[in-house]
């Protein structure tokens, strides 16, 4: 049996959860990410029955649909519809009258064990989702860095030990690779370009574990062909592991088809161009939100979001890779993110 410690694409062991400390709570309150939600993650654990959730082909999705008794539903469901109104309608509570909770699913696969709330508009049966999870400091840093440094906006709120996250729309990466790569050469080149840019975004801000089932692909029809945007949907591995390769999506075997497609359609000059384009875009975003980013990194550099052994391992790895000894002086993952941004941007 292979030693997982020697594998580049496997987490060393189950991830620790880190509490949200007062300084991070103050940051979240300052930027309207912290408020009284009325529901805690622990409240949703009071279900009395669950059944496996199957997909349209009858396959197990690894989610369980959970059920509550009448008294629990009367308490939970109005609070959950109110949360949806806060996130999506700026707290305009009149929309609650036309919303209802259609289903609650629970996933025991993965670190965060999320609840997925399906909410339906009673007027037209259109549905949406959001998630209820245990608040983890490293995940919150990941969500904030995504919101600040990527082209994507992230909707979420926290309250105590609970975090509420918007559903991120897109084709799951593993399904996209399986069903959508057989397209025109023009589209394939655009897919390769986006994967290079996504790879660069992840490495610059040290977001790990971006194998195909941890991101989605958003497809936009264009005048000729389609445009593609890869969006991370799992932020549990923000600045946690100690191996540099864990922060580069092209090292994961689940992404091999995208790597091979890139080798077919691009040379080093084209890859370098797209890397520089992404760095330029990140720099432009930093100029717009510099004070917010500095506030976030001030919290992060003091916070513990990974074991010291992993911090030391990643510091040594990045120092060797960049030929930059400043990394070796870093004592936290937050300090490593700052040094990484100093290398690639004008932070």
């Amino acid at each position: 049996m292979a030693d997982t410690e020697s594998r580049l694409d496997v987490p060393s062991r189950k991830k620790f959860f880190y509490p949200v400390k007062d300084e991070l709570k103050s940051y979240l309150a300052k930027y309207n990410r912290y408020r009284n939600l009325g529901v805690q993650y622990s409240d949703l654990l009071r279900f009395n029955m669950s059944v496996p959730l199957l997909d349209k082909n009858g396959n197990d999705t690894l989610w369980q649909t959970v059920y509550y008794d009448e008294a629990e539903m009367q308490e939970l469901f109005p609070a959950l519809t109110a949360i949806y109104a806060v996130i999506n309608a700026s707290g305009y509570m009149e929309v609650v009258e036309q919303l209802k909770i259609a289903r609650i699913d629970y996933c025991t696969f993965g670190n965060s064990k999320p609840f997925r709330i399906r909410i339906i508009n009673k007027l037209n049966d259109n549905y949406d989702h959001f998630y209820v999870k245990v608040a983890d400091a490293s995940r919150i840093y990941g969500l904030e860095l995504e919101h600040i440094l990527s082209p994507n906006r992230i909707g979420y709120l926290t309250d105590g030990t609970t975090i509420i996250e918007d559903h991120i729309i897109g084709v799951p990466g593993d399904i996209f690779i399986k069903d959508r790569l057989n397209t025109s050469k023009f589209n394939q080149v655009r897919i390769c370009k986006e994967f290079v840019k996504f790879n660069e975004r992840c490495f610059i801000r040290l977001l790990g574990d971006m194998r195909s089932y941890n991101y989605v692909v958003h497809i936009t029809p264009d005048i000729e062909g389609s445009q593609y945007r890869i969006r991370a949907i799992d932020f549990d591995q923000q600045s946690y592991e100690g191996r540099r390769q864990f922060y580069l999506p092209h090292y994961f075997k689940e992404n091999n088809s995208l790597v091979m497609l890139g080798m077919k359609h691009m040379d080093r000059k084209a890859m370098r161009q797209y890397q520089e384009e992404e760095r330029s875009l990140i720099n432009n975003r930093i100029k717009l939100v510099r004070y917010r980013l500095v506030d976030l990194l001030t919290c992060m550099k003091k916070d513990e979001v990974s074991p010291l052994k992993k911090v030391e391992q990643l510091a040594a790895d990045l120092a060797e890779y960049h030929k930059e000894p400043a990394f070796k002086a870093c004592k936290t993952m937050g300090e490593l993110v700052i040094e990484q941004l100093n290398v690639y941007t004008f932070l």
Side-chain angles (χ1 to χ4, degrees):
M1 186 176 185
D3 179 7
T4 57
E5 289 287 348
S6 64
R7 291 273 301 276
L8 300 178
D9 61 347
V10 177
S12 54
R13 57 177 58 85
K14 189 172 178 64
K15 179 183 178 291
F16 296 132
F17 272 66
Y18 291 91
V20 181
K21 296 181 180 178
D22 288 343
E23 189 165 357
L24 180 55
K25 286 181 182 178
S26 296
Y27 169 89
L28 294 169
K30 179 178 180 179
Y31 292 101
N32 300 314
R33 298 292 201 181
Y34 196 92
R35 64 178 297 160
N36 183 4
L37 296 171
V39 172
Q40 292 292 308
Y41 176 89
S42 57
D43 295 329
L44 293 175
L45 291 172
R46 299 199 299 260
F47 57 86
N48 56 19
M49 187 176 72
S50 66
V51 296
L53 178 65
L54 307 180
D55 65 17
K56 62 182 180 181
N57 297 316
N59 300 314
D60 190 354
T61 63
L62 302 178
W63 289 80
Q64 299 277 324
T65 298
V66 297
Y67 299 90
Y68 301 83
D69 63 34
E70 187 65 27
E72 293 290 352
M73 288 191 293
Q74 289 180 2
E75 178 183 344
L76 287 175
F77 286 16
L80 290 170
T81 54
I83 286 172
Y84 182 83
V86 168
I87 294 178
N88 293 281
S90 300
Y92 182 64
M93 288 301 163
E94 289 187 22
V95 302
V96 169
E97 298 176 4
Q98 60 209 49
L99 301 175
K100 69 176 182 179
I101 303 300
R103 195 176 74 213
I104 299 179
D105 303 320
Y106 178 53
C107 182
T108 58
F109 176 76
N111 286 313
S112 58
K113 293 183 172 57
F115 286 93
R116 180 175 61 201
I117 316 300
R118 173 176 282 203
I119 192 162
I120 283 185
N121 188 312
K122 292 183 287 187
L123 301 179
N124 54 24
D125 292 331
N126 187 37
Y127 65 85
D128 198 359
H129 297 96
F130 64 92
Y131 298 84
V132 183
K133 304 177 181 180
V134 176
D136 171 48
S138 62
R139 182 177 184 84
I140 290 173
Y141 288 120
L143 289 164
E144 275 296 298
L145 287 169
E146 178 77 1
H147 185 77
I148 293 172
L149 297 179
S150 85
N152 311 307
R153 305 283 67 81
I154 299 292
Y156 77 94
L157 289 171
T158 63
D159 177 14
T161 59
T162 298
I163 184 167
I164 307 292
E165 295 181 24
D166 254 350
H167 176 64
I168 298 175
I169 298 171
V171 180
D174 51 349
I175 295 175
F176 178 84
I177 290 172
K178 178 175 176 288
D179 297 337
R180 301 294 186 101
L181 292 189
N182 186 21
T183 181
S184 67
K185 177 182 177 181
F186 184 70
N187 281 344
Q188 287 181 339
V189 170
R190 284 184 163 177
I191 293 168
C192 296
K193 172 184 176 179
E194 175 57 20
F195 186 65
V196 170
K197 292 166 78 69
F198 177 66
N199 202 75
E200 194 72 5
R201 286 198 296 273
C202 292
F203 187 52
I204 287 175
R205 42 76 65 94
L206 296 180
L207 175 63
D209 201 18
M210 282 299 107
R211 61 194 84 212
S212 58
Y213 50 76
N214 286 334
Y215 59 79
V216 297
V217 183
H218 186 75
I219 306 169
T220 305
D222 200 4
I223 298 172
E224 295 182 7
S226 298
Q227 296 283 2
Y228 301 87
R229 169 78 56 78
I230 299 178
R231 295 195 59 178
I233 58 173
D234 191 332
F235 301 92
D236 284 340
Q237 294 285 344
Q238 172 64 50
S239 310
Y240 181 77
E241 285 292 340
R243 298 185 297 277
R244 173 182 62 86
Q245 292 90 337
F246 204 70
Y247 301 99
L248 289 159
H250 73 265
Y251 276 104
F252 292 104
K253 59 183 176 60
E254 292 85 354
N255 297 327
N256 280 350
S257 295
L258 294 176
V259 174
M260 297 303 293
L261 200 66
M263 293 173 66
K264 176 181 177 182
H265 290 300
M266 291 194 301
D267 57 18
R268 287 183 177 273
K269 288 184 177 180
M271 289 180 60
R272 183 65 176 176
Q273 174 193 334
Y274 300 142
Q275 288 173 326
E276 290 298 329
E277 286 181 7
E278 191 60 33
R279 294 172 191 177
S280 176
L281 289 171
I282 291 175
N283 270 300
N284 289 337
R285 293 175 198 125
I286 289 174
K287 291 175 184 177
L288 294 174
V289 291
R290 176 176 296 276
Y291 294 113
R292 180 170 182 164
L293 179 59
V294 169
D295 285 349
L296 179 69
L297 295 175
T298 298
C299 293
M300 191 177 183
K301 72 179 181 181
K302 301 174 187 175
D303 216 342
E304 179 187 4
V305 293
S306 182
L308 181 59
K309 182 179 178 181
K310 293 181 184 292
V311 176
E312 293 172 343
Q313 180 185 3
L314 185 59
D317 203 348
L318 290 174
E320 180 181 1
Y321 177 76
H322 290 300
K323 303 295 186 292
E324 178 52 71
F327 283 95
K328 291 185 177 180
C330 296
K331 301 301 181 185
T332 67
M333 283 295 184
E335 291 179 349
L336 287 176
V337 171
I338 292 171
E339 285 300 328
Q340 185 81 337
L341 289 172
N342 283 333
V343 169
Y344 289 103
T345 69
F346 302 110
L347 180 64

